[in-house]
Amino acid sequence: MDPLILALVLVWAVPLAARLRPAPRSAKTRGSAAQRRAEALSGWPLVVAVASTAATAAFVGGTLVSRLLIHSGIPERTRTMDGFLLAFTHGNFVVAMLVQGFVALATAALLVRRHGITAALYGLMAAFVTGCLVTAVFFGGVLAAGCVDALALRPAACGGISLPLVRNTLLRILVGGTACSLIMVTTGAVVLGVRRRLRSEAPSRPVVGAAAEGRITARRVGLTALLLAGSVTLFACTTDTTDRSFGVPTGGGEEVRSACRQYDELLGSLDTLTTAEVHTRLGKASQSAVQGGDPALALAFMEHFKAALEGDSAAFKEHGDRINQTCAAAGVVLVNLP
């Protein structure tokens, strides 16, 4: 397991393990079957599962609808721009983080009466599960877009995704989602405390006891925040600073460099190749780019070559600049690119 993911799990798993106690045997035998069934339906495993599943289903619907609307309502020249794709991707990240926060808040609100402050930990657990699920949905949408044209923002080959890109995206979504969850759960706890104080004009428990309870709650929140800060620090220490979610992914750089060199060699030998050989080499260069986790580069090869055949100078320059920038970032200088 990745060190950061393990740290994020420890944020809620360690306190839960310390607080959970097996029920006394006598307690298990008390109560009718209907009461036991009601308790099972209101137990934390079911609430966590339902909350994370419902949020993931909503994210799936939002992903499908947004891709369909963008594909049908926005011109291809606009939605294939790097800036638009970057904004769409970051927007999905933000939505995924906020969804985790709302799941944590809803789970804690449903369980707070029965489990007290432990409900906040169940909320963080539900947010973590939701973060993993929505990350899978996000990359499922990327893969589906390469195979189903109606979902595609930019035409791309139907291929795979590099594992380093999946890892870093998952970490970013989980870290941001945990932060949102802590903020929302803490805010909900403060609001709940204020409401209880306003409702009790004459508090029944002693002031000293209330103050002690407040200090314990503050220490628990502080410990959780400290664990999160440690997780973020661990993330900064374990993530390669040269790795980027967009561009040349770590672990696929050699394939991308090979694709750039193949395309440069193709451009330098066009006069000596037959049409079939040209298409074969172009396909090999594009396949190398896809294997390196950069289908956008493969598409740029195709569009650059297509623009040259059609005499579209604007598109030829646009895709040529994109190829040159990507290959330069991979450490390859193209000598035959006009």
Side-chain angles (χ1 to χ4, degrees), residues 12-280:
W12 47 264
V14 171
L16 274 180
R19 293 182 62 87
L20 290 178
R21 296 288 188 274
R25 182 173 300 179
S26 59
K28 296 180 181 179
T29 60
R30 290 197 301 263
S32 63
Q35 289 176 335
R36 290 195 298 270
R37 191 180 304 110
E39 290 178 358
L41 292 176
S42 61
W44 66 264
L46 182 63
V47 173
V48 169
V50 170
S52 57
T53 302
T56 304
F59 191 82
V60 170
T63 299
L64 291 176
V65 171
S66 62
R67 284 186 171 275
L68 289 172
L69 291 178
I70 291 174
H71 182 85
S72 61
I74 297 179
E76 182 177 352
R77 181 172 292 273
T78 301
R79 56 184 165 84
T80 56
M81 296 173 60
D82 289 341
F84 184 88
L85 294 174
L86 194 64
F88 176 81
T89 302
H90 283 171
N92 275 269
F93 289 173
V94 172
V95 171
M97 296 171 188
L98 292 176
V99 165
Q100 292 176 75
F102 284 114
V103 167
L105 180 61
T107 303
L110 291 173
L111 296 175
V112 66
R113 288 190 176 183
R114 183 174 181 183
H115 296 278
I117 194 172
T118 311
L121 303 176
Y122 292 130
L124 293 177
M125 179 196 298
F128 180 87
V129 174
T130 303
C132 296
L133 292 176
V134 297
T135 302
V137 171
F138 172 78
F139 282 108
V142 173
L143 292 174
C147 304
V148 181
D149 182 65
L151 299 175
L153 306 184
R154 169 189 287 177
C158 186
I161 299 175
S162 64
L163 289 179
L165 177 61
V166 175
R167 169 190 174 272
N168 284 334
T169 302
L170 174 63
L171 294 182
R172 285 172 172 82
I173 289 178
L174 289 178
V175 168
T178 303
C180 290
S181 301
L182 284 172
I183 292 172
M184 290 192 177
V185 169
T186 303
T187 303
V190 171
V191 172
L192 181 61
V194 171
R195 288 185 59 187
R196 286 178 176 176
R197 177 170 296 183
L198 293 178
R199 287 181 178 180
S200 59
E201 294 291 338
S204 57
R205 65 180 185 275
V207 177
V208 176
E213 182 181 341
R215 286 193 296 270
I216 293 174
T217 302
R219 283 198 298 268
R220 289 169 177 168
V221 174
L223 177 61
T224 304
L226 183 61
L227 287 173
L228 177 63
S231 302
V232 175
T233 303
L234 184 62
F235 173 63
C237 295
T238 57
T239 302
D240 184 3
T241 56
T242 62
D243 178 56
R244 301 184 302 174
S245 295
F246 307 93
V248 182
T250 301
E254 185 56 39
E255 288 84 355
V256 173
R257 286 189 286 272
S258 175
C260 292
R261 287 192 288 266
Q262 291 179 46
Y263 191 71
D264 193 41
E265 293 172 0
L266 171 61
L267 294 178
S269 57
L270 286 175
D271 295 335
T272 62
L273 298 175
T274 64
T275 302
E277 291 173 335
V278 168
H279 286 288
T280 299

